[in-house]
Amino acid sequence: MSAARFGKRRLLAGVLWAVAASLGATLALAGGAPATEPNQAGRVPLLSPQAPASFGSAAEPSPLIAIFNAERAPGEDASSFGVVAAPRFDVSAVAAEAPGAGAARPQGPSSPATGFAAATAPARGDSPDLDDNTPPIYEPSATAPPLSPMQSALEAAMDRLVVRSDPPNPLGGGDWRAARAAIAAFYAARNYEPVWVGEAGLTDAGRAAIGQLERARDDGLSLRRVAFPRTVGAGLAADALADAETAIASAVVTYAEQATGSRVPPARVWPLAFPAPNLVDPGAALAETAAAPDPAKRLADFNPPQKGYRELREAWERLLAPVPGASAPGLDLAADPPAADAARRSKRGAAARIHTASADAALAFAALAGQRAAILANMEMWRWEPRDMGERRIEVNIPDFSVAVIEGDAVVRRTRVIVGKPETPTPIFSNVMRYVIINPSWQVPDSIIRKELMPKLGALSRRGYEVKTVGGRLTVRQLPGEDNALGRIAFMFPNDHAVYLHDTPARDLFDEEARAFSHGCIRVEDPLSLAEIVLGGEGSKWTEERIEAAVGGPERTVFLPRPLPIHIEYFTEFADEFGELQARPDIYGLTRKVEGILAQASQD
């Protein structure tokens, strides 16, 4: 081992040891918690056997990042690190995310309930994770044996990976620089032992991973910017094996990041798109895939699990399949009359038929390409949704003008809705419905007061409105009644957008096919039936008959016996209850924007 490399490894060992010692001291002082007991060797273990895989706090830059960012003296080679510089990786955006307020991280099948499941399901006791496949953690020490030629080659390959500059970002909107650092940290933590290749070529894990990477197109993913080997022969030099290992690891991370939604950030598409995609941590994605009994399945599971996504994926695969006879030129001319009649046809007539056949083929191809692009865009928007949407939930599909109560994959109830106009659109977000208001009053939003009610303030009090000035601010409140804009019932899920579901006195608008008429809230055609379901169904005391009997009385708040996740979505392509593919108008133009971003990414 060279002096430079040995010094680098000693420095890494010292940094990690200091972090572990500091962590142990902190735990000993926090709330009287006992410090971790030393093991028989007298050392505090870096991780307990039950601890999940961890790559450090996002708020605290990893010491590995500092090493990778160290300034080099002139003429110093890439494998020599003499100083630890201040890290230049931007982790502030990740560190600022409060738990539960941002993108949830997808876990393996045995992970405890998180997100909407944790918010709406009864708590359950902790139990050991029998499927925990956390890879062993390498604890560096100053007396570590020299690296093998393969390990040394892989260490040098990681150095090159971290410092190189790749203008085409394979993650789209993701952080490719941070992802490369995470890959290098993964291999440093395992002493540069390879996962995907060995002296005999591809390992079993490597073959499984490559098999799934080659099927990336089936999920609409693109790995064209991360070239990876399809086969690796035996007897290759260490440098070649290290390059193959690096390429496969980069492809694995790219697949996982794209599958969890890195390519198209919602805010880039629309300022009123508020979903938080479940972007997987690149180091965790690599560790989980490497440790999985079936790396191909683990990779595939980074894609959305919802039925709606799976149905679009099936439609996408059907559209990718070659159409029998589609490539045969002149197919439409096969039905020409016998030769004797054909001889009497003019050359001009034959040319016209050829032109017509070509035009028809072009139109058919354009229609097919348009359908493919729309389905791919909607598959991408499924990546915006929480992986755990709740077993029992409410889904509003804006382009379909519908709301559905869903249990598992089954639709319990579906009814028509009215959504926001293009100039006052309904935003896209997820929340939790907590209570229902019977005979609601309506606190008119300031924007509606300014734009629509200011000239009518004098007449509002005669129409059941309460007009006040509170602290210098004009407020308008419509009292409960038959003409109330919220109708008889409002379904509340407190949010920053002042959007909720409610009844409406304007019933005739539900007869329209395109129902984008509101200021952003969602009007429900059959609110009594929906209220009965969300308040517990026929088995509860709040039957539809009792709800209807309460209508017309005082304003009343009824809390749901179990809060329901609600997801306001935007899908122009979807399969209905019978499995038939449906297409809806792109009323806010979001599908076209996603199509454009994906198309641009494929051309860069």
Side-chain angles (χ1 to χ4, degrees):
M1 181 186 300
S2 69
R5 181 179 295 116
F6 184 76
K8 172 184 171 183
R9 298 184 59 74
R10 289 195 62 181
L11 176 60
L12 175 58
V15 170
L16 292 179
W17 178 254
V19 171
S22 174
L23 177 60
T26 302
L27 292 176
L29 295 174
T36 306
E37 293 294 333
N39 57 24
Q40 293 181 355
R43 295 184 298 168
V44 178
L46 294 182
L47 291 176
S48 70
Q50 290 78 27
S54 173
F55 293 85
S57 168
E60 298 292 335
S62 167
L64 285 169
I65 294 177
I67 293 173
F68 295 139
N69 279 335
E71 299 290 349
R72 297 192 180 89
E76 190 175 9
D77 66 83
S79 63
S80 175
F81 291 79
V83 294
V84 177
R88 296 193 298 272
F89 287 90
D90 183 9
V91 297
S92 58
V94 180
E97 249 182 28
R105 302 296 184 190
Q107 304 294 330
S110 59
S111 299
T114 57
F116 288 103
T120 60
R124 63 182 186 182
D126 293 335
S127 60
D129 188 351
L130 300 180
D131 295 329
D132 183 10
N133 292 306
T134 303
I137 301 299
Y138 169 68
E139 298 184 17
S141 68
T143 59
L147 298 182
S148 68
M150 177 63 203
Q151 289 171 301
S152 296
L154 187 52
E155 181 184 30
M158 289 298 115
D159 290 343
R160 293 193 298 272
L161 176 68
V162 169
V163 301
R164 80 185 187 194
S165 176
D166 291 337
N169 181 358
L171 307 186
D175 190 341
W176 181 226
R177 184 184 182 192
R180 298 198 312 268
I183 295 170
F186 167 80
Y187 282 102
R190 56 184 288 115
N191 200 21
Y192 299 101
E193 286 288 348
V195 176
W196 318 111
V197 301
E199 294 181 356
L202 289 173
T203 63
D204 290 342
R207 280 188 288 272
I210 286 178
Q212 184 61 32
L213 294 174
E214 290 179 328
R215 294 189 290 272
R217 192 187 183 205
D218 294 349
D219 283 280
L221 308 178
S222 174
L223 304 183
R224 53 189 292 271
R225 293 178 181 169
V226 283
F228 59 92
R230 269 53 176 184
T231 60
V232 176
L236 292 179
D239 288 345
L241 289 174
D243 288 342
E245 179 79 14
T246 303
I248 296 172
S250 299
V252 165
V253 167
T254 299
Y255 183 106
E257 290 287 298
Q258 288 190 12
T260 54
S262 73
R263 287 189 297 180
V264 185
R268 182 181 172 189
V269 176
W270 196 39
L272 294 181
F274 297 99
N278 301 62
L279 290 178
V280 67
D281 178 270
L286 188 55
E288 291 176 14
T289 307
D294 186 351
K297 182 179 185 303
R298 184 65 195 97
L299 273 175
D301 286 346
F302 286 117
N303 290 291
Q306 290 90 346
K307 180 183 178 184
Y309 174 83
R310 298 196 306 269
E311 290 170 333
L312 285 181
R313 184 184 187 275
E314 293 172 1
W316 167 256
E317 286 187 301
R318 289 195 298 270
L319 291 177
L320 290 180
V323 179
S327 60
L331 191 62
D332 292 344
L333 301 180
D336 276 351
D341 294 334
R344 290 191 295 268
R345 293 181 179 273
S346 66
K347 293 182 179 180
R348 182 177 179 181
R353 292 196 307 279
I354 294 174
H355 174 76
T356 301
S358 300
D360 290 345
L363 289 174
F365 180 81
L368 179 62
Q371 189 177 21
R372 284 177 177 171
I375 289 177
L376 184 62
N378 280 264
M379 289 171 64
E380 195 66 25
M381 287 188 282
W382 267 111
R383 305 185 198 280
W384 298 353
E385 298 298 322
R387 288 301 190 265
D388 176 15
M389 300 179 72
E391 179 67 15
R392 184 177 175 88
R393 61 193 181 276
I394 299 170
E395 295 186 33
V396 176
N397 187 1
I398 295 172
D400 188 45
F401 307 107
S402 68
V403 59
V405 179
I406 299 176
E407 185 94 41
D409 287 337
V411 175
V412 176
R413 176 75 177 177
R414 186 186 300 276
T415 188
R416 291 181 288 187
V417 299
I418 293 169
V419 300
K421 297 173 285 188
E423 56 269 28
T424 56
T426 300
I428 303 172
F429 66 101
S430 295
N431 208 289
V432 178
M433 183 180 292
R434 301 190 180 277
Y435 58 96
V436 170
I437 300 178
I438 303 175
N439 306 309
S441 58
W442 180 40
Q443 192 70 40
V444 183
D446 291 344
S447 59
I448 297 180
I449 295 176
R450 290 193 307 269
K451 296 177 182 178
E452 301 181 24
L453 299 185
M454 289 299 290
K456 310 173 184 176
L457 290 179
L460 288 180
S461 58
R462 296 192 300 272
R463 296 172 53 193
Y465 287 82
E466 185 179 78
V467 181
K468 293 182 179 181
T469 300
V470 180
R473 173 175 167 264
L474 180 67
T475 65
V476 178
R477 175 173 171 261
Q478 187 181 22
L479 301 177
E482 292 184 359
D483 295 330
N484 188 283
L486 304 186
R488 302 162 292 174
I489 298 177
F491 303 84
M492 307 304 292
F493 39 102
N495 59 83
D496 294 335
H497 319 294
V499 167
Y500 34 85
L501 275 65
H502 62 82
D503 185 19
T504 176
R507 314 295 303 171
D508 56 319
L509 294 179
F510 288 106
D511 295 332
E512 301 291 334
E513 184 175 349
R515 297 182 291 277
F517 301 117
S518 82
H519 290 88
C521 280
I522 301 159
R523 307 173 190 171
V524 182
E525 181 180 32
D526 190 359
L528 293 179
S529 176
L530 179 61
E532 180 184 33
I533 292 174
V534 302
L535 291 177
E538 296 180 357
S540 75
K541 61 181 182 179
W542 284 103
T543 62
E544 186 171 342
E545 291 75 16
R546 184 183 178 192
I547 297 170
E548 189 168 11
V551 170
E555 184 170 331
R556 182 168 184 176
T557 298
V558 183
F559 284 88
L560 274 61
R562 183 169 182 171
L564 279 178
I566 179 168
H567 307 279
I568 302 177
E569 310 158 344
Y570 192 95
F571 297 116
T572 57
E573 307 282 329
F574 60 92
D576 60 19
E577 290 93 326
F578 306 102
E580 296 293 329
L581 188 65
Q582 301 291 326
R584 295 292 183 266
D586 188 11
I587 59 173
Y588 297 161
L590 305 188
T591 298
R592 290 191 299 275
K593 290 182 179 178
V594 175
E595 290 175 7
I597 293 173
L598 292 175
Q600 181 64 37
S602 67
Q603 295 171 5
D604 289 343

